[in-house]
Amino acid sequence: MVKGKHVQSEAWFARARKVLPGGVSSPVRAFGAVGGTPPVIRSASGATVVDVDGREYLDFVGSWGPLILGHAHPKIIAAVEAACRRGTSYGAPCPQEIELAEEVVLSYPAIDQVRFVSSGTEAVMSAVRLARGATGRDVVVKFAGCYHGHVDSLLVAAGSGLATFGNPSSAGVPESFVRATRVLPLDDEGAARALFDAEGDAIAAVVIEPVPANNGLLIQRQEFLATLRELCDRAGALLIFDEVITGFRLGAGGAAAHYGIRPDIATFGKVIGGGMPVGAFGASREIMSRLAPEGDVYQAGTLSGNPVAMTAGLTTLRTLHKEDGWRRLEALGVHLEQTLAPVLAESPVPATLCRLGSMFWIAWLADGPPRSAAELDAEADRFYAKIFHALLEQGVALAPSAFEIAFLSLAHTRADIDRLALALRNALARAAG
Ligand code: PMP
């Protein structure tokens, strides 16, 4: 149980607000959706993070997805320390980037070559440019409720029901930047067919999170993704799977292997960097040959493929393989489902657990699991804020938003999951009272 005040966190965050917009380096961390002051974190190990007041939290955020082995995994720390001693960046090819590329090519369906970048946003931004360059077309199709980083052309308000022309959902994105973006609803083959009938010849790419995990967890039907594959093939458009969350988390072959559907381009981030700033995108040799220096699509990065970040990623993937990681995570996920189901059954607000592998999310709906953004309850945030804070007080950290998912890592034990269930039971009882 977490006791005491947050004196140090409050003091640090007051300083943060003076010099960092909102006190943070990335918006959701500011607790805008749940209220209150975020704990300022001093250290982390395994499944636990510790704040500057010395309070410990059982962590299901995992740095928003990268830490599939848990925090400060001894193998990662040792490998990164050794890599640092040999220099942090060379601006030249290094063995680690070649080995990590080989690992990706070997693991992921339909990828012959890969290019490393430093974030998921960069990976998607570059993939979209590559798709436009390779097809000579401009239009990019995305889906309501899918997030692809803060790429200008993909920061488009979620339309619903029918295909809509995009309106920028951020100031600073000129309308002209999103004029070639189309937004479709998830889980709707008819809308996708209608858009391809109308302007299939102009479509460069369809970009989708094959397991949408940024607006809750909206697990798609295989047939829907297969339809997108078929429509792209027929129109000569490219299918981009944004596997920034799912890549190397669902398994070595990501969502592509899970669904048995091969995208033309795949993007990666999070797990592939083992907690360091890494992204990547990959495709067939033919498509990747369009990239500079071989081709005419420009893309570059000073710290791309640096030996420290590559070492963290490589060690993560090798450890997952060696320690039977994905099978163990699935077993933990099954335990989570069995343990939380009876707790959620007693929730004062109807709730459904959505889970795929080591990703999970509570949908505050009676008739879940939802498959599209339109099914979500926009008011869920208010109830979730109570649950979130009641959990945090008990030393359990979920993401500070009703629409962000949670992650299991190999550092979590069955006992940790039992602790989550107990804390959730208490939180729900408190919220009801
Ligand atoms: N794509 C997806 C599917 C993501 O979940 C994210 C980040 N949550 C991104 C892209 C952007 O990655 P980054 O935050 O590393 O830029």
Short mmCIF file of all heavy atoms in Angstrom, two decimals, residues 328-395:
data_model
loop_
_atom_site.label_atom_id
_atom_site.label_comp_id
_atom_site.label_asym_id
_atom_site.label_seq_id
_atom_site.Cartn_x
_atom_site.Cartn_y
_atom_site.Cartn_z
N ARG A 328 5.17 -17.23 -22.72
CA ARG A 328 4.98 -16.92 -21.29
C ARG A 328 4.05 -15.72 -21.10
O ARG A 328 3.23 -15.71 -20.18
CB ARG A 328 6.33 -16.64 -20.63
CG ARG A 328 7.12 -17.92 -20.36
CD ARG A 328 8.55 -17.61 -19.92
NE ARG A 328 8.62 -16.66 -18.82
CZ ARG A 328 9.69 -15.92 -18.55
NH1 ARG A 328 10.77 -16.01 -19.31
NH2 ARG A 328 9.69 -15.08 -17.53
N LEU A 329 4.17 -14.74 -21.97
CA LEU A 329 3.30 -13.55 -21.86
C LEU A 329 1.84 -13.92 -22.13
O LEU A 329 0.92 -13.43 -21.47
CB LEU A 329 3.76 -12.45 -22.82
CG LEU A 329 5.03 -11.71 -22.38
CD1 LEU A 329 5.60 -10.89 -23.53
CD2 LEU A 329 4.77 -10.82 -21.17
N GLU A 330 1.64 -14.81 -23.09
CA GLU A 330 0.27 -15.25 -23.39
C GLU A 330 -0.31 -15.98 -22.16
O GLU A 330 -1.48 -15.76 -21.81
CB GLU A 330 0.28 -16.17 -24.63
CG GLU A 330 -1.05 -16.86 -24.95
CD GLU A 330 -2.21 -15.88 -25.24
OE1 GLU A 330 -1.93 -14.71 -25.59
OE2 GLU A 330 -3.38 -16.30 -25.08
N ALA A 331 0.51 -16.83 -21.52
CA ALA A 331 0.03 -17.55 -20.33
C ALA A 331 -0.34 -16.55 -19.22
O ALA A 331 -1.36 -16.71 -18.54
CB ALA A 331 1.09 -18.54 -19.85
N LEU A 332 0.48 -15.52 -19.06
CA LEU A 332 0.17 -14.49 -18.06
C LEU A 332 -1.12 -13.77 -18.43
O LEU A 332 -1.94 -13.44 -17.57
CB LEU A 332 1.28 -13.43 -18.03
CG LEU A 332 2.41 -13.52 -17.01
CD1 LEU A 332 3.30 -12.29 -17.15
CD2 LEU A 332 1.87 -13.61 -15.59
N GLY A 333 -1.29 -13.53 -19.73
CA GLY A 333 -2.49 -12.86 -20.23
C GLY A 333 -3.75 -13.67 -19.92
O GLY A 333 -4.78 -13.12 -19.54
N VAL A 334 -3.64 -14.99 -20.08
CA VAL A 334 -4.79 -15.86 -19.78
C VAL A 334 -5.12 -15.77 -18.28
O VAL A 334 -6.28 -15.65 -17.88
CB VAL A 334 -4.48 -17.32 -20.20
CG1 VAL A 334 -5.54 -18.28 -19.66
CG2 VAL A 334 -4.38 -17.43 -21.72
N HIS A 335 -4.06 -15.77 -17.47
CA HIS A 335 -4.26 -15.65 -16.02
C HIS A 335 -4.94 -14.31 -15.69
O HIS A 335 -5.86 -14.25 -14.86
CB HIS A 335 -2.92 -15.77 -15.29
CG HIS A 335 -3.04 -15.65 -13.80
ND1 HIS A 335 -3.68 -16.60 -13.02
CD2 HIS A 335 -2.65 -14.68 -12.93
CE1 HIS A 335 -3.66 -16.22 -11.76
NE2 HIS A 335 -3.04 -15.05 -11.67
N LEU A 336 -4.50 -13.27 -16.36
CA LEU A 336 -5.09 -11.93 -16.16
C LEU A 336 -6.59 -11.96 -16.47
O LEU A 336 -7.42 -11.46 -15.69
CB LEU A 336 -4.39 -10.91 -17.06
CG LEU A 336 -4.96 -9.50 -17.04
CD1 LEU A 336 -4.14 -8.61 -16.11
CD2 LEU A 336 -4.97 -8.88 -18.42
N GLU A 337 -6.93 -12.57 -17.59
CA GLU A 337 -8.32 -12.65 -18.01
C GLU A 337 -9.17 -13.36 -16.96
O GLU A 337 -10.23 -12.89 -16.56
CB GLU A 337 -8.39 -13.43 -19.32
CG GLU A 337 -9.07 -12.71 -20.45
CD GLU A 337 -8.76 -13.39 -21.78
OE1 GLU A 337 -8.87 -14.62 -21.87
OE2 GLU A 337 -8.39 -12.65 -22.69
N GLN A 338 -8.63 -14.52 -16.51
CA GLN A 338 -9.38 -15.33 -15.53
C GLN A 338 -9.52 -14.60 -14.20
O GLN A 338 -10.52 -14.74 -13.51
CB GLN A 338 -8.69 -16.68 -15.34
CG GLN A 338 -8.79 -17.56 -16.57
CD GLN A 338 -7.86 -18.76 -16.53
OE1 GLN A 338 -6.95 -18.81 -15.70
NE2 GLN A 338 -8.07 -19.71 -17.43
N THR A 339 -8.49 -13.82 -13.86
CA THR A 339 -8.49 -13.16 -12.55
C THR A 339 -9.35 -11.90 -12.55
O THR A 339 -10.01 -11.58 -11.56
CB THR A 339 -7.03 -12.79 -12.16
OG1 THR A 339 -6.20 -13.89 -12.46
CG2 THR A 339 -6.90 -12.46 -10.70
N LEU A 340 -9.31 -11.17 -13.66
CA LEU A 340 -10.06 -9.90 -13.70
C LEU A 340 -11.54 -10.09 -14.03
O LEU A 340 -12.37 -9.27 -13.63
CB LEU A 340 -9.44 -8.92 -14.69
CG LEU A 340 -8.06 -8.34 -14.36
CD1 LEU A 340 -7.77 -7.12 -15.23
CD2 LEU A 340 -7.93 -7.94 -12.89
N ALA A 341 -11.87 -11.16 -14.76
CA ALA A 341 -13.27 -11.33 -15.20
C ALA A 341 -14.27 -11.25 -14.05
O ALA A 341 -15.23 -10.47 -14.10
CB ALA A 341 -13.41 -12.63 -15.98
N PRO A 342 -14.04 -12.03 -12.96
CA PRO A 342 -15.02 -11.95 -11.85
C PRO A 342 -15.04 -10.59 -11.18
O PRO A 342 -16.09 -10.16 -10.67
CB PRO A 342 -14.56 -13.03 -10.87
CG PRO A 342 -13.19 -13.41 -11.27
CD PRO A 342 -13.02 -13.05 -12.71
N VAL A 343 -13.93 -9.89 -11.18
CA VAL A 343 -13.88 -8.55 -10.56
C VAL A 343 -14.70 -7.57 -11.40
O VAL A 343 -15.52 -6.81 -10.88
CB VAL A 343 -12.41 -8.07 -10.44
CG1 VAL A 343 -12.36 -6.64 -9.90
CG2 VAL A 343 -11.60 -9.02 -9.56
N LEU A 344 -14.50 -7.63 -12.71
CA LEU A 344 -15.20 -6.70 -13.60
C LEU A 344 -16.70 -7.01 -13.66
O LEU A 344 -17.52 -6.12 -13.91
CB LEU A 344 -14.59 -6.72 -14.99
CG LEU A 344 -13.18 -6.10 -15.06
CD1 LEU A 344 -12.60 -6.23 -16.47
CD2 LEU A 344 -13.18 -4.63 -14.65
N ALA A 345 -17.03 -8.28 -13.43
CA ALA A 345 -18.45 -8.67 -13.45
C ALA A 345 -19.23 -7.91 -12.38
O ALA A 345 -20.43 -7.73 -12.49
CB ALA A 345 -18.58 -10.18 -13.24
N GLU A 346 -18.53 -7.48 -11.31
CA GLU A 346 -19.19 -6.75 -10.22
C GLU A 346 -19.05 -5.24 -10.33
O GLU A 346 -19.41 -4.51 -9.41
CB GLU A 346 -18.61 -7.21 -8.88
CG GLU A 346 -19.03 -8.60 -8.51
CD GLU A 346 -18.20 -9.15 -7.35
OE1 GLU A 346 -17.72 -8.35 -6.53
OE2 GLU A 346 -18.04 -10.37 -7.30
N SER A 347 -18.51 -4.78 -11.45
CA SER A 347 -18.30 -3.33 -11.60
C SER A 347 -19.62 -2.58 -11.62
O SER A 347 -20.58 -3.02 -12.26
CB SER A 347 -17.53 -3.06 -12.90
OG SER A 347 -17.53 -1.68 -13.18
N PRO A 348 -19.70 -1.43 -10.94
CA PRO A 348 -20.94 -0.64 -10.96
C PRO A 348 -21.23 -0.06 -12.34
O PRO A 348 -22.38 0.24 -12.66
CB PRO A 348 -20.66 0.48 -9.95
CG PRO A 348 -19.18 0.54 -9.81
CD PRO A 348 -18.66 -0.83 -10.08
N VAL A 349 -20.18 0.13 -13.14
CA VAL A 349 -20.36 0.54 -14.54
C VAL A 349 -19.98 -0.69 -15.38
O VAL A 349 -18.94 -1.29 -15.13
CB VAL A 349 -19.43 1.73 -14.88
CG1 VAL A 349 -19.35 1.98 -16.36
CG2 VAL A 349 -19.88 2.98 -14.14
N PRO A 350 -20.82 -1.09 -16.34
CA PRO A 350 -20.52 -2.31 -17.10
C PRO A 350 -19.12 -2.24 -17.71
O PRO A 350 -18.71 -1.19 -18.19
CB PRO A 350 -21.58 -2.32 -18.20
CG PRO A 350 -22.65 -1.41 -17.72
CD PRO A 350 -22.03 -0.43 -16.79
N ALA A 351 -18.40 -3.35 -17.62
CA ALA A 351 -17.02 -3.34 -18.09
C ALA A 351 -16.68 -4.65 -18.80
O ALA A 351 -17.18 -5.71 -18.43
CB ALA A 351 -16.08 -3.16 -16.90
N THR A 352 -15.85 -4.55 -19.83
CA THR A 352 -15.40 -5.74 -20.57
C THR A 352 -13.89 -5.68 -20.67
O THR A 352 -13.33 -4.63 -21.02
CB THR A 352 -15.95 -5.72 -22.02
OG1 THR A 352 -17.36 -5.54 -21.97
CG2 THR A 352 -15.62 -7.00 -22.75
N LEU A 353 -13.23 -6.80 -20.36
CA LEU A 353 -11.78 -6.84 -20.54
C LEU A 353 -11.47 -7.21 -21.98
O LEU A 353 -11.97 -8.21 -22.50
CB LEU A 353 -11.14 -7.87 -19.60
CG LEU A 353 -9.62 -7.91 -19.69
CD1 LEU A 353 -8.98 -6.70 -19.03
CD2 LEU A 353 -9.06 -9.19 -19.09
N CYS A 354 -10.65 -6.38 -22.64
CA CYS A 354 -10.19 -6.69 -24.00
C CYS A 354 -8.72 -7.05 -23.88
O CYS A 354 -7.94 -6.31 -23.27
CB CYS A 354 -10.34 -5.47 -24.90
SG CYS A 354 -12.01 -4.81 -24.92
N ARG A 355 -8.32 -8.16 -24.46
CA ARG A 355 -6.92 -8.58 -24.35
C ARG A 355 -6.45 -9.27 -25.61
O ARG A 355 -7.19 -10.03 -26.23
CB ARG A 355 -6.74 -9.54 -23.17
CG ARG A 355 -5.29 -10.03 -23.05
CD ARG A 355 -5.14 -11.16 -22.06
NE ARG A 355 -5.64 -12.44 -22.54
CZ ARG A 355 -4.91 -13.34 -23.22
NH1 ARG A 355 -3.66 -13.11 -23.52
NH2 ARG A 355 -5.46 -14.48 -23.62
N LEU A 356 -5.25 -8.97 -26.00
CA LEU A 356 -4.57 -9.76 -27.03
C LEU A 356 -3.13 -9.89 -26.59
O LEU A 356 -2.43 -8.88 -26.44
CB LEU A 356 -4.68 -9.07 -28.40
CG LEU A 356 -4.31 -9.95 -29.60
CD1 LEU A 356 -5.20 -11.17 -29.71
CD2 LEU A 356 -4.35 -9.16 -30.89
N GLY A 357 -2.69 -11.13 -26.34
CA GLY A 357 -1.33 -11.35 -25.86
C GLY A 357 -1.10 -10.57 -24.58
O GLY A 357 -1.86 -10.69 -23.62
N SER A 358 -0.07 -9.74 -24.59
CA SER A 358 0.30 -8.99 -23.38
C SER A 358 -0.25 -7.57 -23.37
O SER A 358 0.19 -6.74 -22.59
CB SER A 358 1.82 -8.96 -23.25
OG SER A 358 2.40 -8.45 -24.45
N MET A 359 -1.22 -7.29 -24.26
CA MET A 359 -1.86 -5.97 -24.27
C MET A 359 -3.27 -6.14 -23.69
O MET A 359 -3.98 -7.06 -24.08
CB MET A 359 -2.00 -5.45 -25.71
CG MET A 359 -0.70 -5.49 -26.49
SD MET A 359 -0.87 -4.75 -28.13
CE MET A 359 -1.83 -5.97 -28.96
N PHE A 360 -3.65 -5.23 -22.80
CA PHE A 360 -5.03 -5.32 -22.28
C PHE A 360 -5.62 -3.96 -21.99
O PHE A 360 -4.90 -2.97 -21.81
CB PHE A 360 -5.12 -6.26 -21.07
CG PHE A 360 -4.46 -5.77 -19.80
CD1 PHE A 360 -5.20 -5.15 -18.80
CD2 PHE A 360 -3.10 -5.96 -19.59
CE1 PHE A 360 -4.60 -4.72 -17.62
CE2 PHE A 360 -2.48 -5.54 -18.41
CZ PHE A 360 -3.23 -4.91 -17.42
N TRP A 361 -6.94 -3.95 -21.94
CA TRP A 361 -7.67 -2.69 -21.76
C TRP A 361 -9.07 -3.00 -21.26
O TRP A 361 -9.66 -3.99 -21.66
CB TRP A 361 -7.74 -1.94 -23.11
CG TRP A 361 -8.57 -0.71 -23.10
CD1 TRP A 361 -8.32 0.44 -22.40
CD2 TRP A 361 -9.79 -0.47 -23.82
NE1 TRP A 361 -9.29 1.37 -22.64
CE2 TRP A 361 -10.21 0.85 -23.52
CE3 TRP A 361 -10.55 -1.23 -24.70
CZ2 TRP A 361 -11.36 1.40 -24.05
CZ3 TRP A 361 -11.71 -0.68 -25.24
CH2 TRP A 361 -12.10 0.62 -24.91
N ILE A 362 -9.54 -2.13 -20.36
CA ILE A 362 -10.91 -2.31 -19.87
C ILE A 362 -11.83 -1.36 -20.65
O ILE A 362 -11.64 -0.14 -20.62
CB ILE A 362 -11.01 -1.99 -18.36
CG1 ILE A 362 -10.10 -2.94 -17.56
CG2 ILE A 362 -12.47 -2.11 -17.89
CD1 ILE A 362 -9.89 -2.52 -16.12
N ALA A 363 -12.77 -1.95 -21.37
CA ALA A 363 -13.80 -1.14 -22.07
C ALA A 363 -14.95 -0.96 -21.10
O ALA A 363 -15.48 -1.95 -20.58
CB ALA A 363 -14.26 -1.87 -23.33
N TRP A 364 -15.36 0.28 -20.84
CA TRP A 364 -16.47 0.54 -19.91
C TRP A 364 -17.77 0.48 -20.70
O TRP A 364 -18.44 1.47 -20.92
CB TRP A 364 -16.25 1.86 -19.18
CG TRP A 364 -14.94 1.86 -18.45
CD1 TRP A 364 -13.77 2.44 -18.85
CD2 TRP A 364 -14.64 1.18 -17.23
NE1 TRP A 364 -12.77 2.17 -17.94
CE2 TRP A 364 -13.28 1.40 -16.93
CE3 TRP A 364 -15.38 0.39 -16.33
CZ2 TRP A 364 -12.65 0.86 -15.80
CZ3 TRP A 364 -14.75 -0.13 -15.20
CH2 TRP A 364 -13.40 0.11 -14.95
N LEU A 365 -18.05 -0.72 -21.14
CA LEU A 365 -19.22 -0.99 -21.97
C LEU A 365 -19.82 -2.32 -21.58
O LEU A 365 -19.09 -3.24 -21.21
CB LEU A 365 -18.81 -1.13 -23.45
CG LEU A 365 -18.20 0.07 -24.18
CD1 LEU A 365 -17.64 -0.40 -25.51
CD2 LEU A 365 -19.28 1.12 -24.40
N ALA A 366 -21.15 -2.44 -21.72
CA ALA A 366 -21.80 -3.71 -21.42
C ALA A 366 -21.60 -4.70 -22.55
O ALA A 366 -21.36 -5.88 -22.35
CB ALA A 366 -23.28 -3.48 -21.18
N ASP A 367 -21.66 -4.19 -23.76
CA ASP A 367 -21.68 -5.09 -24.91
C ASP A 367 -20.37 -5.02 -25.68
O ASP A 367 -20.35 -4.87 -26.89
CB ASP A 367 -22.88 -4.77 -25.82
CG ASP A 367 -22.99 -3.27 -26.06
OD1 ASP A 367 -22.17 -2.53 -25.49
OD2 ASP A 367 -23.90 -2.85 -26.81
N GLY A 368 -19.26 -5.12 -24.95
CA GLY A 368 -17.94 -5.17 -25.59
C GLY A 368 -17.67 -6.56 -26.09
O GLY A 368 -18.51 -7.44 -25.93
N PRO A 369 -16.50 -6.83 -26.68
CA PRO A 369 -15.46 -5.85 -26.95
C PRO A 369 -15.75 -5.02 -28.20
O PRO A 369 -16.26 -5.57 -29.18
CB PRO A 369 -14.21 -6.71 -27.17
CG PRO A 369 -14.71 -8.07 -27.55
CD PRO A 369 -16.09 -8.20 -26.99
N PRO A 370 -15.46 -3.72 -28.15
CA PRO A 370 -15.71 -2.87 -29.31
C PRO A 370 -14.68 -3.06 -30.41
O PRO A 370 -13.55 -3.47 -30.13
CB PRO A 370 -15.59 -1.46 -28.72
CG PRO A 370 -14.67 -1.61 -27.56
CD PRO A 370 -14.88 -2.99 -27.02
N ARG A 371 -15.08 -2.78 -31.65
CA ARG A 371 -14.14 -2.90 -32.77
C ARG A 371 -13.95 -1.59 -33.52
O ARG A 371 -13.14 -1.52 -34.45
CB ARG A 371 -14.62 -3.97 -33.75
CG ARG A 371 -14.47 -5.39 -33.22
CD ARG A 371 -14.53 -6.40 -34.34
NE ARG A 371 -15.84 -6.43 -34.96
CZ ARG A 371 -16.73 -7.39 -34.78
NH1 ARG A 371 -16.45 -8.40 -33.98
NH2 ARG A 371 -17.89 -7.35 -35.40
N SER A 372 -14.71 -0.56 -33.16
CA SER A 372 -14.52 0.73 -33.83
C SER A 372 -14.67 1.87 -32.84
O SER A 372 -15.29 1.71 -31.78
CB SER A 372 -15.52 0.91 -34.97
OG SER A 372 -16.78 1.23 -34.44
N ALA A 373 -14.08 3.01 -33.22
CA ALA A 373 -14.08 4.17 -32.32
C ALA A 373 -15.51 4.61 -32.00
O ALA A 373 -15.79 5.09 -30.90
CB ALA A 373 -13.29 5.30 -32.97
N ALA A 374 -16.41 4.42 -32.96
CA ALA A 374 -17.78 4.91 -32.79
C ALA A 374 -18.51 4.20 -31.64
O ALA A 374 -19.45 4.73 -31.07
CB ALA A 374 -18.56 4.71 -34.09
N GLU A 375 -18.05 2.99 -31.29
CA GLU A 375 -18.72 2.23 -30.22
C GLU A 375 -18.33 2.69 -28.83
O GLU A 375 -18.95 2.30 -27.84
CB GLU A 375 -18.36 0.75 -30.35
CG GLU A 375 -18.89 0.07 -31.59
CD GLU A 375 -18.30 -1.33 -31.75
OE1 GLU A 375 -18.50 -2.16 -30.86
OE2 GLU A 375 -17.59 -1.56 -32.75
N LEU A 376 -17.27 3.51 -28.74
CA LEU A 376 -16.74 3.85 -27.42
C LEU A 376 -17.60 4.88 -26.71
O LEU A 376 -18.25 5.71 -27.34
CB LEU A 376 -15.30 4.38 -27.55
CG LEU A 376 -14.31 3.41 -28.20
CD1 LEU A 376 -12.92 4.01 -28.18
CD2 LEU A 376 -14.32 2.06 -27.49
N ASP A 377 -17.56 4.82 -25.38
CA ASP A 377 -18.28 5.78 -24.56
C ASP A 377 -17.34 6.94 -24.23
O ASP A 377 -16.40 6.78 -23.44
CB ASP A 377 -18.75 5.06 -23.28
CG ASP A 377 -19.39 6.02 -22.29
OD1 ASP A 377 -19.59 7.20 -22.67
OD2 ASP A 377 -19.68 5.60 -21.17
N ALA A 378 -17.59 8.08 -24.83
CA ALA A 378 -16.70 9.23 -24.65
C ALA A 378 -16.69 9.72 -23.22
O ALA A 378 -15.78 10.42 -22.79
CB ALA A 378 -17.11 10.36 -25.60
N GLU A 379 -17.71 9.32 -22.44
CA GLU A 379 -17.81 9.76 -21.04
C GLU A 379 -17.02 8.87 -20.09
O GLU A 379 -16.96 9.13 -18.89
CB GLU A 379 -19.28 9.75 -20.59
CG GLU A 379 -20.20 10.62 -21.44
CD GLU A 379 -19.92 12.09 -21.25
OE1 GLU A 379 -20.01 12.56 -20.10
OE2 GLU A 379 -19.57 12.76 -22.24
N ALA A 380 -16.42 7.80 -20.65
CA ALA A 380 -15.75 6.81 -19.79
C ALA A 380 -14.65 7.44 -18.95
O ALA A 380 -14.35 6.95 -17.86
CB ALA A 380 -15.17 5.68 -20.65
N ASP A 381 -14.08 8.53 -19.44
CA ASP A 381 -12.99 9.18 -18.74
C ASP A 381 -13.33 9.53 -17.29
O ASP A 381 -12.49 9.42 -16.41
CB ASP A 381 -12.59 10.47 -19.48
CG ASP A 381 -11.24 10.31 -20.16
OD1 ASP A 381 -10.58 9.29 -19.89
OD2 ASP A 381 -10.87 11.19 -20.95
N ARG A 382 -14.58 9.97 -17.06
CA ARG A 382 -14.93 10.46 -15.72
C ARG A 382 -14.90 9.33 -14.69
O ARG A 382 -14.35 9.47 -13.61
CB ARG A 382 -16.31 11.13 -15.74
CG ARG A 382 -16.17 12.62 -15.45
CD ARG A 382 -17.49 13.32 -15.45
NE ARG A 382 -18.05 13.40 -16.79
CZ ARG A 382 -19.35 13.45 -17.05
NH1 ARG A 382 -20.23 13.39 -16.09
NH2 ARG A 382 -19.77 13.55 -18.30
N PHE A 383 -15.50 8.19 -15.05
CA PHE A 383 -15.49 7.05 -14.14
C PHE A 383 -14.07 6.50 -14.00
O PHE A 383 -13.61 6.18 -12.91
CB PHE A 383 -16.44 5.96 -14.66
CG PHE A 383 -16.50 4.75 -13.77
CD1 PHE A 383 -17.08 4.86 -12.50
CD2 PHE A 383 -15.99 3.54 -14.17
CE1 PHE A 383 -17.13 3.75 -11.67
CE2 PHE A 383 -16.04 2.43 -13.34
CZ PHE A 383 -16.62 2.54 -12.09
N TYR A 384 -13.37 6.45 -15.15
CA TYR A 384 -12.01 5.90 -15.13
C TYR A 384 -11.10 6.71 -14.21
O TYR A 384 -10.24 6.14 -13.52
CB TYR A 384 -11.43 5.84 -16.54
CG TYR A 384 -10.03 5.26 -16.55
CD1 TYR A 384 -9.84 3.89 -16.39
CD2 TYR A 384 -8.91 6.08 -16.66
CE1 TYR A 384 -8.57 3.35 -16.36
CE2 TYR A 384 -7.63 5.54 -16.63
CZ TYR A 384 -7.47 4.18 -16.48
OH TYR A 384 -6.20 3.65 -16.44
N ALA A 385 -11.27 8.04 -14.19
CA ALA A 385 -10.40 8.88 -13.35
C ALA A 385 -10.47 8.43 -11.89
O ALA A 385 -9.46 8.37 -11.19
CB ALA A 385 -10.81 10.35 -13.48
N LYS A 386 -11.67 8.06 -11.43
CA LYS A 386 -11.82 7.59 -10.04
C LYS A 386 -11.07 6.27 -9.84
O LYS A 386 -10.37 6.09 -8.85
CB LYS A 386 -13.30 7.33 -9.73
CG LYS A 386 -14.15 8.57 -9.62
CD LYS A 386 -15.49 8.14 -9.02
CE LYS A 386 -16.61 9.04 -9.50
NZ LYS A 386 -17.92 8.51 -9.18
N ILE A 387 -11.26 5.37 -10.79
CA ILE A 387 -10.61 4.06 -10.69
C ILE A 387 -9.10 4.22 -10.72
O ILE A 387 -8.36 3.63 -9.93
CB ILE A 387 -11.07 3.14 -11.86
CG1 ILE A 387 -12.57 2.96 -11.85
CG2 ILE A 387 -10.34 1.80 -11.85
CD1 ILE A 387 -13.11 2.30 -10.62
N PHE A 388 -8.65 5.05 -11.65
CA PHE A 388 -7.21 5.27 -11.83
C PHE A 388 -6.57 5.75 -10.52
O PHE A 388 -5.56 5.21 -10.07
CB PHE A 388 -6.98 6.29 -12.95
CG PHE A 388 -5.57 6.77 -13.03
CD1 PHE A 388 -4.62 6.01 -13.69
CD2 PHE A 388 -5.19 7.96 -12.43
CE1 PHE A 388 -3.30 6.44 -13.75
CE2 PHE A 388 -3.88 8.39 -12.48
CZ PHE A 388 -2.93 7.63 -13.14
N HIS A 389 -7.19 6.77 -9.89
CA HIS A 389 -6.59 7.33 -8.67
C HIS A 389 -6.70 6.35 -7.50
O HIS A 389 -5.79 6.27 -6.67
CB HIS A 389 -7.22 8.68 -8.34
CG HIS A 389 -6.64 9.79 -9.17
ND1 HIS A 389 -5.34 10.19 -9.07
CD2 HIS A 389 -7.18 10.54 -10.16
CE1 HIS A 389 -5.09 11.16 -9.94
NE2 HIS A 389 -6.19 11.39 -10.63
N ALA A 390 -7.80 5.59 -7.44
CA ALA A 390 -7.93 4.61 -6.37
C ALA A 390 -6.87 3.52 -6.52
O ALA A 390 -6.34 3.01 -5.52
CB ALA A 390 -9.33 4.00 -6.39
N LEU A 391 -6.54 3.17 -7.74
CA LEU A 391 -5.47 2.18 -7.97
C LEU A 391 -4.12 2.77 -7.60
O LEU A 391 -3.30 2.12 -6.94
CB LEU A 391 -5.46 1.73 -9.44
CG LEU A 391 -6.58 0.80 -9.88
CD1 LEU A 391 -6.54 0.58 -11.40
CD2 LEU A 391 -6.49 -0.55 -9.17
N LEU A 392 -3.89 3.99 -8.04
CA LEU A 392 -2.60 4.63 -7.78
C LEU A 392 -2.34 4.75 -6.27
O LEU A 392 -1.24 4.51 -5.80
CB LEU A 392 -2.58 6.02 -8.44
CG LEU A 392 -1.20 6.57 -8.83
CD1 LEU A 392 -0.52 5.69 -9.87
CD2 LEU A 392 -1.33 8.00 -9.36
N GLU A 393 -3.39 5.06 -5.53
CA GLU A 393 -3.24 5.16 -4.06
C GLU A 393 -2.86 3.82 -3.45
O GLU A 393 -2.21 3.76 -2.42
CB GLU A 393 -4.56 5.62 -3.43
CG GLU A 393 -4.71 7.12 -3.37
CD GLU A 393 -6.10 7.50 -2.92
OE1 GLU A 393 -6.65 6.82 -2.03
OE2 GLU A 393 -6.64 8.48 -3.48
N GLN A 394 -3.28 2.74 -4.14
CA GLN A 394 -2.93 1.41 -3.64
C GLN A 394 -1.61 0.92 -4.23
O GLN A 394 -1.23 -0.25 -4.08
CB GLN A 394 -4.04 0.40 -3.98
CG GLN A 394 -5.37 0.72 -3.33
CD GLN A 394 -6.45 -0.23 -3.82
OE1 GLN A 394 -6.55 -1.36 -3.34
NE2 GLN A 394 -7.23 0.20 -4.79
N GLY A 395 -0.94 1.79 -4.97
CA GLY A 395 0.38 1.43 -5.51
C GLY A 395 0.32 0.64 -6.79
O GLY A 395 1.21 -0.17 -7.08
#
